[in-house]
Amino acid sequence: MKRLLLAACAALLCVVVPAAAQQQGVTADTITIGAHGPITGPAAYIGLAGRDGMLLAIKEINAAGGVNGRKIMAVFEDDGHSPTKALAAVKKLVEQDKVFAVMSVGGSNATVGAVDYMKEKGVPYYVSIASAPQVTWPFARNLFRGGTTETARYGELYAEFLTTHYKAKRIAIMSGREEYPRNEGDATTDKLKNWFQMAPVVRVEFNIGDKDFTPQLVEVQKANPDVIAFFGNPAEAAIAMRQAKELGLKQPFFVGSNMVDPALITAAKSSAEGVTGFSLIPYLPGSKAPAMVKWQAAWKKEYPSAPAGRPNNFDLLAYGDMYVLAEGMKRAGRNLTTDGLIHALEGIHDYRVGPVATPRTFSTRHHIGNLALVPMMVKDGQWEPVQWKSTRESDILQRYH
Amino acid sequence: MRARSPTIVLIIAVILLGAAAATMSSYPVYLMSLAMINIVAAIGLNLLTGNSGQISLCHSSFMAIGAYASTLLTAKLGVPFWASIPIGAVLAASTGALLGAPASRLRGIYLALATLGFLQIVQIAIEELANVTGGVRGLGVPKAVLNGAVLGDYARFLIVLGCCALAIWTARNLLASRVGRELNAVRLSPHATQALGISVHRVRLAAFALAAGYAGIAGGLQAIVVGFIDPVEFGVSASLRQITFIVVGGMGSVTGSVVGAAVLSALPEALRPVKEYSDLIYTSILLAFLIFLPNGLVTLWQIVVRRLRHSDTLTTIAVRP
Amino acid sequence: MTPTLALQLAIAGISVGSIYALVALAIVIPFKASGVLNFGQGEIVTFGAYSGLILTQLALPYPVVLVGVVVLGAVGGIVIERILIRPIVKTPEFTLVIATFAIGLLVKGAISIRFGDSPNSIDGPFGSDPIVAAGLRFNPTSLWIFACTALVTLGVIAFFRFTRLGKAMRAVSVNPEAARLMGIRVETVYRWSWAISTAIGALAGLLVAPLIGVNPEIGQLILRGLLAAVIGGFTSVPGAIVGGVSVGLIETYSGVLIGSAFKNLVPFILLMVLLVFRPQGLFGAPEIKRV
C-alpha cells in the first residue's frame, strides 16, 4: 500500500512537464503565439471555428513572407469552456510554451478565468470573441478586445434600431438565462429606458436548452408587442419562431448578434424569413458578395472536410482579429517587444484586412476594438445587409479618460 | 498497527512534493493543486459509495456549497479563507445530512435518481439566485490573504497539500476505526448490522454528511486556487468525473481514491496533444478500465504483487474489508 | 386562464410528453428484462435524430427513413450490448452505471466531431403548417408523434403478452435462473431487450427532430425520461407512457403558472418527493423495504 501511495505521488508529478529554455516567444525567425478556446464540449463549434479562422490567417501571413521576416507559430489549447481549464491553458502557454502573446477565441466565463493571471503576467492578451466586461474595464494595458463589441453597445444599437427601424412602441424581450443573452437583454432594457424613456411591455426568460417556448410565447402574446426581441441561441430561436407561428403570433422577430448566423436559417428554415439582427461581420458565410465568395473558396481549400455549418461567424471573427494582431506586430518593427506591440496596437485606427472584416480602432485610452455592428435581415433564406445607420453617439467611451 | 508506516510515507510524500513544487513554475503547481483537490473530493465520495455502498450523483453539489459558501463569506463578510473554507465544509456536511435523512433509505437506481434530482435543484438554485451567487455568469473569488499578504500559487499549493494530506490521514484512521467498520458493515450486510443493534440508517446518514464535508473542503480549496467559480464547474460532468476517480482507482480504499484521482487528473493533460479528440479518447480509456479492471487500479497492484510473491500463504490484502 | 389556452397548453404538454414517454419506455424495457439502467439512452435518441438526418439527406422517402432509423437503432443496440455491456454485466452495479453513461458520451462525442455542433433540422412528414380545428391549433408533427407513441405502446404491450420472446422476457425479468432452467436463452433475451429499447429510442429521436432540431444536446431528454419512468414505476410499460405524458403536462402548465424561473425545479422536486414517499411510482411493483 505504501508503495502505491508513492506511485500516486509519481502520478501526480506526471502532470509536471519540465520547463522549456528561456525565450520570450520571439526568435530570429519565429514568433510564437498562444491561443485558447473550447474545442471539446457543447461550445466546441466556437473554439474549433476560432482556431481554424486564426490558423488560416496565420498561414496566409506566413505565405506572404511573415511579419518582418519572422514566421508566426501558433500553439492552441483547449479550455473546454471552463474557467478552471482556461487558467490551466494560459498558464501552460505563458510559462511552458513561452508565447509572445495570447489570443482568446473562447467564451466569456473561460476568458474571465484567465484574465487576472494575464493581467498579472503582462503578456499581451487579445480577446476576439468573449464579451465579458472584465476584459476592457477596468483598463489594463496588455488586454485588448477585438471582434465582439461591448455589451452596452449592443444595448445602444438594439434600442435605437427597435425604436427607429420598427418604430416600435411596444417591445417584448425574450432572453435566455446565460451570460451573453441575459447581458443583451439587460443592456437593451437599460438603453430603452435611458435613451428612449421606454420599458419593454414584457420580459420573459427561458433556459438555454429549452425545447418548448409555449409558456413564454403565451405571455408575449398577451402583451401584444410590435416586435419581439429574442436573445438566446440559434437552436432555441428556431423552435421559438416556429412555435410563435403556430400560436398565431404575427410580430416580427429581432435576434441577438450570435444568432445572425447561417445556422439560424438552417435550423428555422421558413420561420426565419424577415428576421433582423446585428452582425459583427460585414458579410455572412454563404453571402454572394464577391469578397465573401473569394474568402470562402480559400477557406474551403484549406479545410475541405469540415462539417456542414462551417465556416461560421467565429471563423471570420478570428481570421480578421488575427490579422489585426499581426498588423500590430508588423508595425512594432523588427525589434519586437511586448511594449512595442502594445504601442503599435494602440496606434491602429480603422484597420481591417479586407471587406470580410469590420475595422478595428484602439487608442491609449481604451482597448475596445469594435464599436460598429452591421444590421441585417433574412431575405429569401439569406442574411442580407439592411439600409440603416445609427445616428446616436455611443456613451461607452465616456468613462475612459 | 496499520497507522504507523503509512503515516511516515505520507509525511515523506508531503515533504517531497512541497520541495519539488518550490522549483516549478505556476503551471505544474496549479495542475497538482487541482489534482489534490480532486483527491480530497474522491476520498469523500469513496467513503459514501465505496464503503457504505450508497451511490451518489450529487457529490459535486456539495463541492459547490463549500465553494460558494466560503467565497461569499469572504466576499461579503470579510471572513478569511482559513475560516470560511471550514465553515463552508460544515455547511456542506449539514446539507449532506439533510439530504441523507430521506435519501439513505433509498437503494440502487432510486438513490441515484434522488441524488441526481438534488444536483439539479442545487444547479437551478445557483443559477436563479444570481444576485447572490452571480448565476451563470459566475463569481470571482477574493484572493486568499494571510496576515495582510496575498497568497501566491506556491503558498496555496502548500495549503492544498496540507489539506489533502490531512484528508488522507483522517480517512485512513476513520476506516481503521469503529466508524469504518460500521460503514462497511452496512454495505456488506445491513441485516446483520441492524440485528447487532447498530442503526443502519444512522450510519448511512453519517456517511452522507462525511462525504459532503470532504467535498465542501475540496470546493472551498478550488475556489481560492482557481479564483473564479461558476455552476457548470459543479454540474453533472463533475459528479460523474468524481465517480470515475473511485471506480478506476478502487472503491472502498483511500489508496484507491488517491490513485484514481491522481491518474485521471493527469490523463487530460497527457491528452492535450490530441486536441479535439481528447474527450473521446478519455472516455474510451475509461471504458477500457471498466471492462478490464472493474475493481480498480488497486487490484492491478494486487495482481502484480501476487504474481511476484508466488507464496502459499494467503495474502490478505483486502480491498474492501 | 381561458379554456382555450388550457386546451392549447394541454396539446403542447401531451405532444412533448409523448417524446418523454418513448424515452421512458426505452429505459424501462431493458431495466425490466435485465435490471440494467441505461444512462446512455439520451444519446441513443440523438443517434436516431442524426440517422434520420443522414437518411433524409440521401433523399429517401420518409417511410424508408423511418424504417431505416428503427433498424439502425436496433442494430446499434445489439452491437453495444455485445461489445460493451456483455463483458461488464457481472461487475458491480456502479460500474455498469458509469459504463452506460460513458457509452453515451462516446456516441455524443463521435457525433459532435463528425457533424459539428451547429444545429441542423429535418422536416416532419406532414409539413409544419398548423391544423386549425375548433379554435385550437394542432401541429401535425405533434399529432404524428402522439400516433406513433400510441402505436408503439400497443405494440410493446402486445409483444409482451402474446409473443414468445415477449413472454420469455417477462419470465427472465422475474427470475433469470428459473427461466434458464426452463430452456430460455437468457443472453438472447437480454440482447433483444436492448435492441428493442434502442430501436424505440432512435425512433423517438427521429420523431422529435422536426420539433427541436438535430443537435448533439438532444440527449438531455433523458432526465425527463427518467422522471417519467419513476412516476410510472420502473417496471411498468403503461406506467412509462402515463409518466411521460404527466411530465409533459406538468412542465407546460408549470411554465405558465409559475413562470420559467423556477419551472425547472418542479420536475425535480416532484422526483424527490416521489422517491421518498412512493418510489415505485404509480404502477410499479412496490419494493420490499429493506433495512
Side-chain angles (χ1 to χ4, degrees), chain A residues 256-277:
Chain A
S257 65
N258 63 321
M259 282 167 282
V260 179
D261 187 304
L264 181 69
I265 302 177
T266 320
K269 301 222 162 87
S270 58
S271 312
E273 200 63 22
V275 170
T276 54

Side-chain angles (χ1 to χ4, degrees), chain A residues 109-129:
Chain A
N109 276 9
T111 303
V112 170
V115 152
D116 278 344
Y117 174 79
M118 293 304 294
K119 279 192 194 174
E120 203 185 303
K121 286 291 175 179
V123 171
Y125 191 36
Y126 191 101
V127 175
S128 177
I129 292 170

Side-chain angles (χ1 to χ4, degrees), chain C residues 141-156:
Chain C
T141 307
S142 302
L143 292 174
W144 172 237
I145 292 174
F146 182 71
C148 285
T149 308
L151 278 173
V152 167
T153 312
L154 290 172
V156 168

Side-chain angles (χ1 to χ4, degrees), chain B residues 191 272 307:
Chain B
H191 295 95
R272 269 195 191 277
R307 293 238 175 101

